[in-house]
Structure formats: structure tokens, C-alpha cells
Amino acid sequence: MAVAFSPSSTVTACALRGGASLLGSCFLVLRSRRAGRLQSAVTTRRSRTWCAVIVGSTAVPEASAEEGRHGRRSSEQLALPPELVDELVEEALVWCSQHGLIVGDKNHPRSGKAPGVGLLHAPFSLLPMSFPKFYWDQALELAPLFNELVDRVSLDGEFLQQTLARTKEVDLFTKRLLDIHSEMMELKKEEEIRLGLTRSDYMVDGETGLLLQVELNTISTSSNGLACGVSELHRNLVRMHERELGLDQASVLGNTAITQHAGALARAWAEYNNPRNGCPVALVYFRAGYSPIDYPSEAEWRARTLIERSSAIKCPSISYHLVGTKKIQQELAKEYVLDRFFDNKGDIKKVRQCFAGLWNLENDSIVMSAIESPELFVLKPQREGGGNNIYGDNLHETLVRLRKDGGNELAAYILMQRIFPPASPCYLVREGKCAKENAVSEFGVFGAYLRNKDKVIINDQCGYLMRTKAAALNEGGVVSGYAFLNSIFLT
Amino acid sequence: MAVAFSPSSTVTACALRGGASLLGSCFLVLRSRRAGRLQSAVTTRRSRTWCAVIVGSTAVPEASAEEGRHGRRSSEQLALPPELVDELVEEALVWCSQHGLIVGDKNHPRSGKAPGVGLLHAPFSLLPMSFPKFYWDQALELAPLFNELVDRVSLDGEFLQQTLARTKEVDLFTKRLLDIHSEMMELKKEEEIRLGLTRSDYMVDGETGLLLQVELNTISTSSNGLACGVSELHRNLVRMHERELGLDQASVLGNTAITQHAGALARAWAEYNNPRNGCPVALVYFRAGYSPIDYPSEAEWRARTLIERSSAIKCPSISYHLVGTKKIQQELAKEYVLDRFFDNKGDIKKVRQCFAGLWNLENDSIVMSAIESPELFVLKPQREGGGNNIYGDNLHETLVRLRKDGGNELAAYILMQRIFPPASPCYLVREGKCAKENAVSEFGVFGAYLRNKDKVIINDQCGYLMRTKAAALNEGGVVSGYAFLNSIFLT
């Protein structure tokens, strides 16, 4: 016997929770489009639902007439009844456990040492984040432009070497990368097939209403799997509680990041394999290598150089990797620099429009402004991976010291305009506990770019990553423990 | 851009592991049907794969000619190279984390108190268990017969009351259930729509080669979700390592337990809802209530009685629940008792053929035999849920004491022939660690039965649960910590 749940069925959701052993208990919810919700559990000892009562046709309070007319625009505006929040949190946590929306528990003794043990749910926002379609469309339009930009800048070896020349003197890690790059330039090494899996991160500036780029990631763009998961989680929660929430699940933006990035890798492999059968290594994907701690010995540098010398497709190549540095981002934001890489004035305008203020520390008037008003700036060292940026008093002190010491160390940093996105109350869940916080969001658009000689095979956006954090916090990484995964509720 | 992986593609598997934060690292494997396997990770610091090298066309050792001709019959016969075992274990653990094949970690302080925290992978056998199609077919044929048997016995209130009359005197829990049953008999309460979600558990007896029933579960049949998951895990591992393992993924038996049980519940709800719209509660599913600890106060007994009195479909009703008791199982195994419930002699024969030796303790010659040879028997108290059975020296001592004390307490137990399934070496994984053990397996076939008055709407098998445990152990529950989830590799 096989049962299919068609959309036309009155049974809109049927979830037999299989993870019985999670709590020594599981229960079942059956709903009817006409009527249903879980009326009550007969006995609810804490977290142990004894049996579930399935409702045939009980009336459920709907969204008010006012809300009904306009549609609830923004999930975070909702003031939800506490019992509903508890129910949503429990459902969401079980969903996470059963659908792989989990991360390692840093408090577990074997965390990071063995997979499959010491797991807990990924931190998430209970409901999706409302987000104007206008910004989403803008970010989608920018995605292929940034992909193309990365490729073009990567081909300009002189530009990379010159722009990073001073950084190289003070940052040993950047120096090692540039040394490999130099070696490839000397060898006149050409990458015929070039694959970029990117993510361009943005925030909406509350004051100007502009979508501003935070950074452009060209190596090891992470969280695509988790981002897809949280979008599914939100769709599911909104579908199961359509009436109580007054939200339409169709507005929860789906996410295809994981499929599209995997697809781009497969396609790159196919491009390599077909004409050149017989070569052993087709493609190297880096999930690390962007941080000095990934190179504990010379062996890793030798490996990186060996890979770069090889005929394999690198994701990314050393050039693509270098294009993603903050110093290059700052240089590209200078007036007229984009003209070197784009012909189309319209494209240049679109890209420049999303650039935040970016400066090097040789610009003393900006350094003085930042010392005076540190709250308006972010000081960014040449490091990837969250948790390295400097804010507020710390920024003030660092700049005062750097100016006093003078010399090269200034070249290890860039200054960036601090972006203040509009804040709104959100239900945020971490370690099984839900708190209502005034929160802001950062969102990234994944991209894929594949080129074989003159032929652009893929140049596309590939879904998104929405991260939400308490407005009072500076940093925002999910993995580094600051932010909560979120999805987009298009308005 | 959307990419679909069609079976005809040379890329047979493409997994971009999204759980980056699980280990602070993730990696990618692309394979080609013609060639591929992951050749090597350039740097493998423990559990941190730095980058993955994707192979275009390197030859991989295939299964030997001998194995090739006959096909490897049995995964547990494999003596796998240790590096391959390590690779399989790591892949399996990541897969579990990302696909909800996880359970609560009993060592975690919040285990059982909150969902979503303190999780670890479910214990599993690394490879599927080879299992002759003969037994599988036999178990499938038995499934609708046992479903029907449960229904027919449930209608014979006198039989239930009389058979359990002595148990009732010594087992307070059974007494409470029987009291509710009596009350329903007095009320002449009829259940027009009857829904059974069952699981019949079997072991193959090594000496006789017979498939023997261990027990028949009629309430809260568990692990359907995990059972489906491990089948998917094995399919995936076998597909990714088809050549090294010399196994065909098509022989890994798929499992539809979760969909079919959910489907049966939905169908029952539909049966109730359509003709009798207006009644609030359509269906009550019990995920607990089979153990005295589920009734900490009179409130739970009142709730159970209230549900039983209601017009809702109960899954299970009190009668169905009682049919699953061990005493009833033992009574049904007596000669001629099945004739009371089946007309067809062929059906009676098929069902009786899978009955193991079952005796009550009033049979003194059997009790004496068990005292003399306790290794050949299992002493089963009237309890559900694993961990209650008595074996070996303990069985000997308990029987000696019960005989000496005499009286009613004997009625709280039944004796069962101990089944010794054939043992074979297996790779078993628990808490992230793999051990090779001599192991035996027990397997259960899920069933669903739905009846509306005279009309049988569903009477079907619904997938399976295969559990493997070290041969030296007595008990075998997955959740209780003894057994490992497994799937069937049909031979």
C-alpha cells in the first residue's frame, strides 16, 4: 500500500514523528484545511507528550479582519501568544533534529573530533524575516556582475600583486598566498576552466535605505546546507500554523544553494573530464585553507602550491582566493577602479551603488574621523572567518596605537563604514531556548561561475543565506556563535 | 540554474556536505561511474578534511573475479580493509547527522527534557545484513494474517478477560487495563472504525532454520522512522562504494514504514471525518501508555478511560492493546486456540508455524526443564518496552524462588523457548566508534490494519525493522541501548 498526500487532499500535513528515541516519546499531528489543529495533548508532562488528540472540525481563531485584509507583512512584528511560541519552538526543534539542521555542540568533549556525536540544533530564528522584494531583486541582479568581476580581476595578476604589495609586507599569510600567485605568473600558468562558488554579503542601511555590500567571499563559502534547511523549516512551520500566524507559506523564499553549488561542481567536473580523459584529478574543492591555522606546517603550503601547479580545476584558484581579500574589496571601491574591469557603464553604476565606504589607513583624515567617532566604523584586519573585526572603544584604541607606532602595520587593516540595519523584535532559538530579541539581519547571495576558455557556462545566483543577530552585538557569524539562521519572507 | 542528477549521468553521486559547522569543516566527493573514487585528501588532520581531490579516471580495485561471478552474498562476510572501514564510518556518521538518523544522548544533562539538544547518531550496523528472500516473503505473507488475528481476538472480550484473569490478580497494570476493558464491555461499546499499527518481531532459529515470532506489538510500535533512515543510509553507502564493496545497491531493501503508518493514520482520519463531520476528536494515537510509569497518577487512568469511552478512533483501542500482551501470545500458541479465530486451515498452519514454544508457569514440567537448562529459555514478565526479560542464572534463580513461594506470582510470567539466530561478524557503530562483533539479528515487520464496520480498508505490511546486537548479549532494544539499527540486503 502506498499513500500519497496530494495538495488537493483535505489532509494538509501529516507528520509521524519518527525520532521516538529523541525524547522517549513521539506524537502525531493530523490537520484538516477546513478545521484542524492539534487541540490538546491529554497529558503533558514536560516534553513528554503522551498521546495526541486529532481534531476533526474545531474552529480555530483566525488572523483578525484587519490582518486578513492586508496580510500580515512581517513575521517579526507578530506578538504571538506564549503557548503558540512554545508549540512552535518544540515543533521546530524536533524538525531540526529530524532533518539535519544541526551543528556540533562546542561544549561536548568530542566536538570537532568525531562526526555524529555531540550534536545540537543549529541556532535559528523561529519565524522567517520579512524582506522587501526590491532588495532581493537588486541582489539577484548583482550576483552575475560580481561573479564576472571576480573572474576579470583574477586575470589581472599585476593588479592583485600591486594592490596587495603593502599588505604583503605586514601580513605573512597574504605574503604566502601572493608568493604562490607570483610563481604561477612566472610559469605563465593559465586556468582554462575557472570555477567560482561565491557569496556576496549585504546589509540594508537603515538611514539611507541602501543595500550595501559587507564583503565578497570567494573561498569556502559556507552554510549553504544550513541555509536551505532553515528555509524548509520555516515553510513547514508556516504551513502547519497558517491560520494562527496569518502568514502564507508561499512567501517563504525557497533556497536551492546546496543543489546549485553541487550542480556547478558536477558541471565543472564534466567540462574537465570529457575532453581530457586520462588525467587523474579533475577538481579540487577547498573547504579550508583561508586561515593561517589551516597551514600548521610547510606541508600544507607545499600541497597548496602543488594543487595550484596542477591541471585540476581549483575551487578557488589562488587568484580567485586573492580577489576575495578585504584589501582588494577596498581597492575596487575606489573611484574609476571598476572601469578597468567593466565596459558597461550601467553595470559599473549598479555595482558601485552597493559599495559601502571603504578606506585604507593611509588616509589620515578618515583615521582621525574613526578615532573621533569609532561607532561609525568597522576596522577589518586581513582575516577571514568571523570574529576578527574591531569595533567601538577597541577600534579607537587600536587606531590610536597604530597611528602612534606608524609604519607598515597600518597596511594590515582597512576601515569600513559601519552599516546599521533596521532592527525589529525576533524570536531567536539557541540551545533549545527561545528569547525575544531586538534583532538585525545580514543576508548573502550565493553565486556560481563556470567558464571554459571563452565560454561562460554558468553565471548565476544560487540561493541565499539570511542571518539574524541581536542588534546590540557587533559580530554576526552563525558558526562562530553570534548569529541565528533565518530565511526570507518576501514582502 | 537548476541541475538534476539523472541516473544516466556519469556522475552517480554528488554530495556537497552542508553541515560545515559539524566539524568546522566539510568536504565534497564527486564520483564517476567509470572511474571514480575519492583518491585522497591532501591533508587529513584527524577528522578535518582540508580539501578533497576529485578523481577523473583512476582505476579502482574491483571485487575479485570469484566474487564477481557469484556476487558477494553477505555484507557481514566482508573482511574490509581498515582504511575503507574508517572512510565508511566517517561518511555514515556525517550522513546520520544530516538526515536525522539521530537519538538523544543519555549522558547529556538535558536528555529527555528538551528536544534539539544533546543529540548523537543512532547506533547502526555499518553495512546491511544479508537476509534470505525466503524468510522475507514468509514474514510478508504473515503480516495480514496477524493484523486480522489481532482484530478478531480484540472482538472476543470474554477470551481476553478469561485468558488474563490470573495475570490480573498479580499484575496491577494489567488489572487496570482489564478494568477499562470490562467497563467498555458493560457499556456494550463498539469500535466501528478500528485501526491497528502493529509490528510482528521474528528471529531465525539457527538449528531448525525456522522463522519464529518473538512477539507481536499492538501499541506504540516504535522505530519506524529510524528503520527507514538506516535503509537509506545503507543504500547511499553501498551506492557510493559499489566497486570496493562489490555489493549492488538494488539489493538493499527500501523501507516505507513511516509513510505507510502515516498514511494509515490519515486514511483512518478520513474514514471518521467524512460521514461524521462535527465531532471534535477523530483519532487518538498513543505513543506511550504501555508501561506503568506512563501512569504516574489517577489523572492518566481517567484520561485513558475517557478516550476509550469517546467515539474517537483509538490507535490502539484497549482491546487491541490487550491482544498484544505476552499472556495472550502464549494462549494463542496453544493447540486449537487459533481455530477460534481463523476458519482457513491453511492460515492457521502458516501462523502456527512461526510460533516458538510458549508456556505458562503452571506447567511444572516445563518450569523444571527451565530450571535445569535455563540457557534454553526466556522468562518474560508482563511488561513492554525492552530490558525486562530474564535469562540464564537469573532465570534459574527466579524460577526456583517462584516455585518455592508458590501462589499467584507465577501468573505474572510466561516462559518462551530461547531462539538462537545464526551469528556472523558485523561492523557495529555506536557513539562514533566502530567495533567488529559477532552479531545476531532480530527483525520486525510493520503492519497496518484499518476497518470500517464490515469493510477492511487496509490490511498490509508496512516495511520492517532490522536490529543487530552482539551475539553474547541477551536483550536487543535499540533505544534501550543494546541493539544497532540495520537494514536488509536481500539474498
Side-chain angles (χ1 to χ4, degrees):
Chain A
M1 194 208 69
V3 171
F5 292 91
S6 70
S8 64
S9 161
T10 52
V11 180
T12 56
C14 179
L16 180 54
R17 291 180 177 173
S21 42
L22 287 173
L23 288 175
S25 164
C26 88
F27 57 91
L28 171 92
V29 186
L30 281 181
R31 273 155 212 295
S32 117
R33 191 179 288 280
R34 202 170 44 239
R37 62 184 299 271
L38 180 72
Q39 194 176 47
S40 70
V42 170
T43 306
T44 47
R45 282 188 279 146
R46 178 155 174 67
S47 292
R48 179 159 170 86
T49 302
W50 195 73
C51 73
V53 174
I54 295 149
V55 174
S57 55
T58 306
V60 171
E62 289 192 46
S64 73
E66 177 67 16
E67 289 157 350
R69 257 200 310 284
H70 303 291
R72 273 178 177 152
R73 289 246 191 90
S74 148
S75 49
E76 67 272 26
Q77 288 167 15
L78 294 173
L80 302 175
E83 322 80 63
L84 179 59
V85 172
D86 289 350
E87 193 182 333
L88 289 169
V89 169
E90 173 138 356
E91 283 185 35
L93 289 170
V94 172
W95 194 97
C96 288
S97 309
Q98 293 180 353
H99 295 83
L101 198 56
I102 53 175
V103 295
D105 180 352
K106 286 178 180 165
N107 297 319
H108 192 275
R110 290 171 72 198
S111 171
K113 298 196 185 87
V117 298
L119 307 170
L120 89 168
H121 73 92
F124 60 88
S125 164
L126 187 59
L127 291 168
M129 146 100 187
S130 67
F131 194 70
K133 190 167 180 302
F134 169 78
Y135 294 121
W136 173 243
D137 290 343
Q138 188 186 345
L140 291 196
E141 199 180 6
L142 286 167
L145 295 177
F146 276 116
N147 286 339
E148 192 67 51
L149 180 62
V150 169
D151 191 64
R152 293 190 186 173
V153 175
S154 81
L155 296 177
D156 194 338
E158 289 302 329
F159 174 80
L160 290 173
Q161 287 287 342
Q162 279 166 20
T163 306
L164 293 164
R166 289 213 56 206
T167 313
K168 178 179 173 171
E169 289 173 29
V170 287
D171 188 276
L172 181 61
F173 182 65
T174 305
K175 180 183 182 308
R176 297 299 302 255
L177 296 176
L178 276 171
D179 287 348
I180 297 174
H181 183 256
S182 292
E183 195 183 325
M184 296 310 126
M185 282 178 78
E186 277 161 32
L187 291 170
K188 299 197 192 310
K189 182 86 170 61
E190 283 187 14
E191 302 294 329
E192 291 185 344
I193 305 175
R194 302 194 291 279
L195 173 66
L197 299 182
T198 60
R199 197 188 69 228
S200 181
D201 289 336
Y202 304 92
M203 280 183 180
V204 172
D205 184 50
E207 201 165 323
T208 61
L210 289 175
L211 186 77
L212 296 180
Q213 188 182 49
V214 176
E215 62 180 357
L216 179 58
N217 301 283
T218 60
I219 182 168
S220 188
T221 51
S222 71
S223 302
N224 33 21
L226 295 172
C228 293
V230 79
S231 165
E232 279 308 301
L233 165 68
H234 284 158
R235 271 215 173 154
N236 198 58
L237 281 180
V238 168
R239 188 178 66 231
M240 300 282 276
H241 297 271
E242 220 164 10
R243 292 184 157 232
E244 298 109 303
L245 295 172
L247 297 173
D248 179 9
Q249 57 142 323
S251 296
V252 180
L253 204 58
N255 205 334
T256 54
I258 197 83
T259 328
Q260 284 190 262
H261 271 189
L265 284 157
R267 185 63 205 273
W269 174 87
E271 282 296 317
Y272 184 94
N273 204 41
N274 292 346
R276 295 196 274 182
N277 208 354
C279 302
V281 177
L283 199 160
V284 178
Y285 174 77
F286 289 87
R287 185 57 191 90
Y290 53 82
S291 160
I293 61 159
D294 295 331
Y295 301 80
S297 75
E298 283 302 306
E300 288 77 17
W301 285 112
R302 280 195 300 272
R304 180 81 196 251
T305 309
L306 182 70
I307 290 167
E308 204 59 36
R309 275 183 178 158
S310 79
S311 67
I313 304 166
K314 297 100 196 161
C315 182
S317 67
I318 195 83
S319 308
Y320 269 48
H321 183 173
L322 289 168
V323 175
T325 56
K326 295 188 175 72
K327 179 65 194 168
I328 296 292
Q329 181 192 9
Q330 180 249 310
E331 186 70 15
L332 290 172
K334 279 189 186 164
E335 220 170 343
Y336 308 120
V337 175
L338 280 186
D339 298 50
R340 190 164 172 168
F341 304 105
F342 282 121
D343 298 323
N344 185 313
K345 298 289 167 200
D347 290 347
I348 293 173
K349 197 179 162 198
K350 281 177 199 159
V351 170
R352 280 194 62 81
Q353 204 169 28
C354 79
F355 283 164
L358 285 156
W359 305 273
N360 64 41
L361 271 60
E362 285 150 41
N363 183 332
D364 201 54
S365 72
I366 285 291
V367 173
M368 286 309 296
S369 302
I371 288 173
E372 275 166 40
S373 309
E375 71 284 1
L376 299 179
F377 293 85
V378 185
L379 185 62
K380 295 187 164 189
Q382 204 47 263
R383 286 282 175 281
E384 292 298 327
N388 299 307
N389 294 338
I390 301 168
Y391 300 86
D393 290 348
N394 217 338
L395 181 151
H396 174 93
E397 284 157 28
T398 308
L399 283 183
V400 168
R401 180 179 61 74
L402 287 172
R403 261 190 101 234
K404 198 174 128 199
D405 295 353
N408 285 340
E409 215 200 326
L410 290 161
Y413 297 86
I414 63 156
L415 264 172
M416 184 170 160
Q417 161 198 357
R418 187 152 182 198
I419 308 166
F420 295 96
S424 56
C426 267
Y427 295 94
L428 302 176
V429 185
R430 185 190 301 284
E431 296 181 7
K433 288 169 192 150
C434 181
K436 198 170 181 179
E437 295 260 17
N438 207 32
V440 295
S441 293
E442 171 174 11
F443 99 110
V445 172
F446 292 104
Y449 186 87
L450 176 64
R451 188 179 181 114
N452 193 346
K453 295 180 196 156
D454 287 342
K455 195 174 150 208
V456 177
I457 295 152
I458 300 172
N459 183 9
D460 215 343
Q461 62 87 9
C462 300
Y464 67 97
L465 171 67
M466 177 66 88
R467 288 171 293 186
T468 297
K469 58 166 185 145
L473 285 176
N474 293 321
E475 292 277 358
V478 172
V479 175
S480 37
Y482 305 104
F484 297 78
L485 293 165
N486 212 337
S487 75
I488 289 178
F489 187 87
L490 268 191
T491 56
Chain B
M1 195 209 66
V3 171
F5 292 92
S6 71
S8 63
S9 161
T10 52
V11 180
T12 57
C14 179
L16 180 54
R17 292 179 177 174
S21 42
L22 285 173
L23 288 173
S25 164
C26 89
F27 57 93
L28 172 92
V29 184
L30 280 182
R31 273 156 211 295
S32 117
R33 189 179 289 279
R34 203 169 43 239
R37 63 183 299 271
L38 180 73
Q39 194 177 47
S40 69
V42 170
T43 305
T44 47
R45 282 187 280 146
R46 178 156 175 68
S47 291
R48 181 159 171 88
T49 301
W50 194 73
C51 73
V53 174
I54 293 149
V55 172
S57 55
T58 306
V60 171
E62 290 192 47
S64 75
E66 179 66 14
E67 288 158 347
R69 257 200 308 284
H70 302 292
R72 272 178 178 155
R73 290 245 189 92
S74 149
S75 49
E76 66 272 27
Q77 288 167 15
L78 293 173
L80 301 175
E83 322 80 61
L84 179 58
V85 172
D86 289 350
E87 192 182 333
L88 289 169
V89 169
E90 173 140 355
E91 282 183 36
L93 290 171
V94 172
W95 194 97
C96 288
S97 308
Q98 293 181 351
H99 295 82
L101 197 56
I102 53 176
V103 295
D105 180 351
K106 284 178 181 163
N107 297 319
H108 192 275
R110 290 170 72 198
S111 171
K113 297 196 187 88
V117 299
L119 307 170
L120 91 168
H121 73 93
F124 60 87
S125 164
L126 187 59
L127 291 168
M129 147 99 186
S130 67
F131 194 69
K133 188 167 180 303
F134 169 79
Y135 294 121
W136 174 243
D137 290 342
Q138 188 186 346
L140 292 196
E141 199 179 8
L142 286 167
L145 295 177
F146 276 115
N147 286 339
E148 193 67 50
L149 181 61
V150 169
D151 191 63
R152 292 189 186 173
V153 175
S154 81
L155 296 177
D156 194 338
E158 290 302 330
F159 174 79
L160 290 173
Q161 288 286 341
Q162 279 167 21
T163 306
L164 292 164
R166 290 213 55 207
T167 313
K168 178 178 172 173
E169 290 173 29
V170 287
D171 189 277
L172 181 60
F173 182 64
T174 306
K175 180 184 183 309
R176 297 298 302 256
L177 296 176
L178 277 171
D179 287 349
I180 298 173
H181 183 256
S182 291
E183 194 183 327
M184 297 309 126
M185 282 178 77
E186 279 161 32
L187 292 169
K188 300 200 190 310
K189 180 87 170 61
E190 283 189 12
E191 302 293 331
E192 291 185 343
I193 305 176
R194 302 194 290 280
L195 173 65
L197 299 181
T198 61
R199 199 188 67 228
S200 180
D201 289 337
Y202 305 92
M203 280 184 179
V204 173
D205 183 51
E207 201 165 321
T208 61
L210 290 174
L211 187 76
L212 296 179
Q213 189 182 48
V214 177
E215 62 181 356
L216 179 58
N217 302 283
T218 60
I219 182 168
S220 187
T221 51
S222 72
S223 302
N224 34 19
L226 295 172
C228 293
V230 79
S231 166
E232 279 308 301
L233 165 68
H234 284 158
R235 270 214 174 154
N236 197 58
L237 280 180
V238 168
R239 188 178 66 234
M240 299 283 275
H241 298 270
E242 221 164 9
R243 292 187 157 230
E244 298 108 303
L245 295 172
L247 297 173
D248 178 10
Q249 57 141 327
S251 297
V252 180
L253 203 59
N255 205 333
T256 53
I258 197 84
T259 328
Q260 283 189 263
H261 271 188
L265 284 157
R267 186 63 204 274
W269 173 88
E271 282 296 318
Y272 183 94
N273 204 43
N274 292 346
R276 294 196 276 179
N277 209 353
C279 303
V281 176
L283 199 160
V284 178
Y285 174 77
F286 289 86
R287 183 58 191 91
Y290 54 83
S291 161
I293 61 159
D294 296 331
Y295 301 79
S297 75
E298 283 302 306
E300 288 77 18
W301 286 112
R302 280 195 299 272
R304 182 80 197 252
T305 309
L306 182 70
I307 291 166
E308 205 59 35
R309 277 183 178 158
S310 79
S311 67
I313 303 165
K314 297 98 196 161
C315 182
S317 67
I318 195 82
S319 309
Y320 269 48
H321 184 173
L322 288 169
V323 176
T325 56
K326 295 187 175 73
K327 179 66 192 166
I328 296 291
Q329 182 192 8
Q330 180 249 310
E331 186 71 15
L332 290 172
K334 279 189 186 164
E335 218 169 348
Y336 307 121
V337 175
L338 281 186
D339 298 51
R340 190 165 173 167
F341 303 104
F342 282 121
D343 298 323
N344 187 313
K345 297 289 168 201
D347 290 348
I348 293 174
K349 197 180 161 196
K350 280 176 200 160
V351 170
R352 281 194 60 82
Q353 203 169 27
C354 79
F355 283 164
L358 285 155
W359 305 273
N360 64 42
L361 270 59
E362 285 150 40
N363 183 333
D364 201 54
S365 72
I366 285 292
V367 174
M368 286 309 296
S369 302
I371 288 174
E372 274 166 41
S373 310
E375 69 284 2
L376 300 178
F377 294 85
V378 185
L379 185 62
K380 296 187 164 189
Q382 204 47 263
R383 287 284 175 280
E384 292 298 325
N388 299 307
N389 294 339
I390 301 169
Y391 300 85
D393 289 348
N394 217 339
L395 181 150
H396 173 93
E397 284 158 28
T398 308
L399 282 184
V400 168
R401 180 178 60 75
L402 288 172
R403 263 191 100 234
K404 200 173 128 199
D405 297 354
N408 285 340
E409 215 200 329
L410 289 161
Y413 297 86
I414 64 157
L415 263 172
M416 184 170 162
Q417 160 197 356
R418 186 153 182 196
I419 309 165
F420 294 96
S424 55
C426 267
Y427 295 94
L428 302 176
V429 184
R430 187 191 300 283
E431 295 182 5
K433 287 168 193 152
C434 181
K436 199 170 179 179
E437 296 260 17
N438 208 34
V440 296
S441 293
E442 171 175 10
F443 99 110
V445 172
F446 292 104
Y449 185 86
L450 175 65
R451 188 179 181 113
N452 192 346
K453 296 179 196 157
D454 288 343
K455 196 173 151 209
V456 176
I457 294 153
I458 300 173
N459 183 8
D460 215 342
Q461 62 87 10
C462 301
Y464 67 99
L465 171 67
M466 177 66 88
R467 289 171 292 186
T468 298
K469 58 166 185 145
L473 286 176
N474 293 322
E475 292 277 0
V478 171
V479 175
S480 37
Y482 303 103
F484 297 78
L485 293 165
N486 212 338
S487 75
I488 288 179
F489 187 87
L490 267 191
T491 55

